[in-house]
Amino acid sequence: MTPQGELPGRSIPYYLRSGEGERYLVGGFVACLMARGIDTDNLYEWMVLTGGKGALLPSHTHSQTHEVIFVLDGEIDLWLSGQHYRMIKGDFASIPPGTTHAFRMQSHHTQLMSMNSGHQMTALYKTLGKPYAGYVQPSDNISALDPAALKQAEKAADIHFDGKPLPEGNAQRVVNAQLPKSVVPYVLAAGEGDHYTIADQLFGILCDNATTNGKLLVVTCEGPAGPMIGKHFHMKHSETFFCLDGQLRMVSNQVVLDVYPGDIVTLPAGTIHAYQHLKPYTHHVGLLTPSIFELFFRSQAPSTQHVYPQQPTGGLNASRFAELDIVPLERPGPPPSPRH
Amino acid sequence: MTPQGELPGRSIPYYLRSGEGERYLVGGFVACLMARGIDTDNLYEWMVLTGGKGALLPSHTHSQTHEVIFVLDGEIDLWLSGQHYRMIKGDFASIPPGTTHAFRMQSHHTQLMSMNSGHQMTALYKTLGKPYAGYVQPSDNISALDPAALKQAEKAADIHFDGKPLPEGNAQRVVNAQLPKSVVPYVLAAGEGDHYTIADQLFGILCDNATTNGKLLVVTCEGPAGPMIGKHFHMKHSETFFCLDGQLRMVSNQVVLDVYPGDIVTLPAGTIHAYQHLKPYTHHVGLLTPSIFELFFRSQAPSTQHVYPQQPTGGLNASRFAELDIVPLERPGPPPSPRH
């Protein structure tokens, strides 16, 4: 692992604490790059955007990058392919290549994550913004984005600004609860998605192979304090964990880390890892890319509930492990002997 | 201090981690009593309510208790004296005695704090609910509140259920930014209130002497990582800190505690204390009761901003300390000598 607080510049396991990363002030928000293409073997990029009321990114499209957004704090308005949504913590949006979108922050402390396939978004924030030592916007006064910088960003990154105005009027609160079956833009309300349980943990799939063309599998997990899961690794896909609520303990090769809200842990393919929930309501989100591990979650017990179970509802279903990109290093002990 | 996780049953300094406290399942939500009258010399009570979509407390009034609400997660609908609000994290409501109000949770993981003057709300949740070992609601299925239990609660606690239906229709998002000047019901949007800065920290007064008749002073504080403030104590008022974001380090008499989101630290009058922000965005809320310490905050530099300053904007204004309930135990060193 690299020293705390530093991006490694190559694809090795690392972690950053809340606020750490390469930061740029982009108009009225701070873009904190927590994973750049160079840190992920060009698989994905992970930004946390923090800003005040009125900070925005104007209407644009990406031609190759699949972006997903997950709100962390405050409210944002998202214009997505002709719709205008109001989003709060836990709300999610999937933005396939070619989709027109824009956002505007609506709260004094607004924060969202932007997770992107590929490696072309780092250049966007570098070009649009200025290096910034702070962690929150400098004041309520929003600097307009420089039109020349927008042009420059179009040359440097996978982005096209279309100059379309952002229609005002009543934004719809996000209410959708269903994943579509194909690569189309959509939103999900906080706590929605396709749910599965393992023991006392509730998993929620927010996007998958079908909705991202195999690029991004985003899964939330919530549960009470419990034991460490078994150590394992993956040969072909990378996993990145971000703590939303509570506290995780994570194993990453030889390192044991306590992970708090806002902290990120990257686990490139080959990293031995495991996690444990330490608080009564621990909630994290993982990005798995490419999204080949979907069947792992789909093999578990489906749940119609939106809260973690009070009693474990059955353990891990490992019956299809042979088909999966997983190498378990620890197995549970034998089941208790039958009584005689 | 009492052992971690236990309420002391008398007014001494203590702390609880997120989720700890005396818990009751009340219809569709978990009421976690983090401070009961018996723990605060009957000065105040502090509950964290966690539930799912549809969990509610029907229309009611308190005749003596001044309640304030601060939302922690998800969305709630609040009916307050004829208004119908939709509230999210950071939104605040002040509910004077005699005010008709009700709430309904709107998210799968909804959480709010209810802070109350006096000592009559513990009996409400004890009577309405059942002791509960869990931390979140048991399922999406909301149990209706038992009408007999409502009657019982009216006998046991300062509450009257008026049986009024909760009007549906469009709730208004909370937008108000101004404290009123008298004891009337009101709401404040996240990040609003009367703002003051000390060094690089931004304080926000959410309710004060004028709005609570001297009962409850609620103050938010946000800032970057910084030094420990000077140790001090108060002779006449109690302070209670609750961490919202980031991490605090707190001194409470001989104990040094690291305090994470959802943790509470109580500091009855006479407790030597100090705090330090450890994360780039640390955000906490304090309840000071009685609210005699208001002048401390009002004496600091007023701010029109809604974000903590990037550069310290001036230190503590201690010119009116003689009028205040504060005994500083540490003073800053002398200012640097002038150059010769």
Side-chain angles (χ1 to χ4, degrees), chain B residues 114-133:
Chain B
S114 163
M115 296 168 263
N116 302 275
S117 70
H119 59 94
Q120 298 200 61
M121 290 297 110
T122 291
L124 167 65
Y125 296 105
K126 268 179 118 139
T127 312
L128 275 189
K130 292 185 166 43
Y132 187 66

Side-chain angles (χ1 to χ4, degrees), chain A residues 44 46 68 70 72 92 113 115 202-208 215-222 237-244 248 250 263-267 273 275 277 283-291 293 297:
Chain A
Y44 68 95
W46 190 303
V68 299
F70 187 100
L72 294 174
F92 173 85
M113 299 194 287
M115 296 168 263
L202 179 72
F203 294 84
I205 297 180
L206 305 188
C207 60
D208 59 3
K215 290 177 186 162
L216 305 171
L217 177 62
V218 175
V219 181
T220 58
C221 176
E222 61 178 73
H237 77 273
S238 169
E239 298 195 353
T240 302
F241 284 66
F242 186 95
C243 181
L244 297 166
L248 291 166
M250 292 204 65
D263 297 351
I264 198 171
V265 181
T266 74
L267 306 160
H273 64 277
Y275 72 87
H277 286 179
H283 185 200
H284 69 270
V285 60
L287 168 65
L288 296 80
T289 179
S291 51
F293 206 53
F297 299 100

Side-chain angles (χ1 to χ4, degrees), chain B residues 59 77-85 100 102 104 106 164-171:
Chain B
S59 186
D77 273 14
L78 179 74
W79 288 265
L80 180 70
S81 193
Q83 302 293 313
H84 178 191
Y85 297 107
T100 303
R104 188 168 59 203
Q106 298 290 359
K164 287 183 193 158
L166 303 179
E168 299 298 335
N170 281 335

Side-chain angles (χ1 to χ4, degrees), chain A residues 42-333:
Chain A
N42 294 334
L43 270 175
Y44 68 95
E45 297 180 306
W46 190 303
M47 286 78 180
V48 172
L49 311 183
T50 304
K53 202 172 274 198
L56 59 78
L57 206 55
S59 186
H60 64 278
T61 50
H62 312 295
S63 68
Q64 298 165 303
T65 305
H66 195 121
E67 179 178 9
V68 299
I69 281 175
F70 187 100
V71 179
L72 294 174
D73 201 7
E75 287 185 294
I76 73 160
D77 273 14
L78 179 74
W79 288 265
L80 181 69
S81 194
Q83 302 294 314
H84 178 191
Y85 297 107
R86 178 67 58 97
M87 303 175 75
I88 65 167
K89 183 182 171 190
D91 289 349
F92 173 85
S94 180
I95 309 171
T99 307
T100 304
H101 63 288
F103 72 78
R104 188 169 59 202
M105 296 178 171
Q106 298 290 358
S107 304
H108 296 305
H109 187 262
T110 316
Q111 195 169 57
L112 62 101
M113 299 194 287
S114 163
M115 296 168 263
N116 303 275
S117 70
H119 58 94
Q120 298 200 61
M121 290 297 111
T122 291
L124 167 65
Y125 297 104
K126 269 179 116 138
T127 313
L128 275 189
K130 292 186 167 45
Y132 187 65
Y135 301 91
V136 296
Q137 69 278 13
S139 87
D140 289 355
N141 310 315
I142 305 297
S143 305
L145 290 163
D146 174 11
L150 297 181
K151 286 279 168 222
Q152 199 64 31
E154 289 184 329
K155 287 182 197 151
D158 174 23
I159 193 159
H160 171 65
F161 292 101
D162 55 36
K164 286 182 193 158
L166 303 180
E168 298 298 335
N170 281 335
Q172 319 163 49
R173 274 290 296 123
V174 169
V175 294
N176 183 48
Q178 300 296 325
L179 269 74
K181 301 287 181 200
S182 61
V183 185
V184 293
Y186 65 95
V187 290
L188 285 175
E192 302 295 356
D194 293 343
H195 288 133
Y196 299 90
T197 52
I198 302 173
D200 53 9
Q201 296 183 1
L202 179 72
F203 294 84
I205 297 180
L206 305 188
C207 60
D208 59 3
N209 278 291
T211 50
T212 70
N213 203 16
K215 290 177 186 162
L216 305 171
L217 177 62
V218 175
V219 181
T220 58
C221 176
E222 61 178 73
M228 183 74 76
I229 69 163
K231 284 183 203 169
H232 62 280
F233 67 92
H234 311 290
M235 304 286 285
K236 297 177 187 163
H237 77 273
S238 169
E239 298 195 353
T240 302
F241 284 66
F242 186 95
C243 181
L244 297 166
D245 297 288
Q247 184 183 350
L248 291 166
R249 183 160 293 158
M250 292 204 65
V251 171
S252 168
N253 289 334
Q254 290 85 0
V255 177
V256 179
L257 286 171
D258 278 359
V259 183
Y260 299 94
D263 297 351
I264 198 171
V265 181
T266 74
L267 306 160
T271 311
I272 295 168
H273 64 277
Y275 72 87
Q276 177 180 18
H277 286 179
L278 294 187
K279 293 285 178 79
Y281 180 74
T282 300
H283 185 200
H284 69 270
V285 60
L287 168 65
L288 296 80
T289 179
S291 51
I292 52 176
F293 206 53
E294 179 180 348
L295 180 62
F296 171 83
F297 299 100
R298 300 285 185 203
S299 303
Q300 308 305 325
S303 174
T304 58
Q305 295 291 313
H306 298 80
V307 60
Y308 69 70
Q310 291 297 301
Q311 300 297 331
T313 52
L316 182 67
N317 175 8
S319 64
R320 300 186 69 173
F321 267 30
E323 300 166 63
L324 289 169
D325 176 28
I326 186 166
V327 183
L329 300 175
E330 296 172 322
R331 292 175 187 280

Side-chain angles (χ1 to χ4, degrees), chain B residues 10 84 130 173 190 196 251 260 316:
Chain B
R10 60 204 170 97
H84 178 191
K130 292 185 166 43
R173 275 288 298 122
Y196 299 90
V251 171
Y260 299 95
L316 182 67

Side-chain angles (χ1 to χ4, degrees), chain B residues 244-258:
Chain B
L244 297 166
D245 297 288
Q247 184 184 350
L248 291 166
R249 182 160 293 158
M250 291 203 66
V251 171
S252 168
N253 289 334
Q254 290 84 1
V255 177
V256 178
L257 286 171
D258 277 359

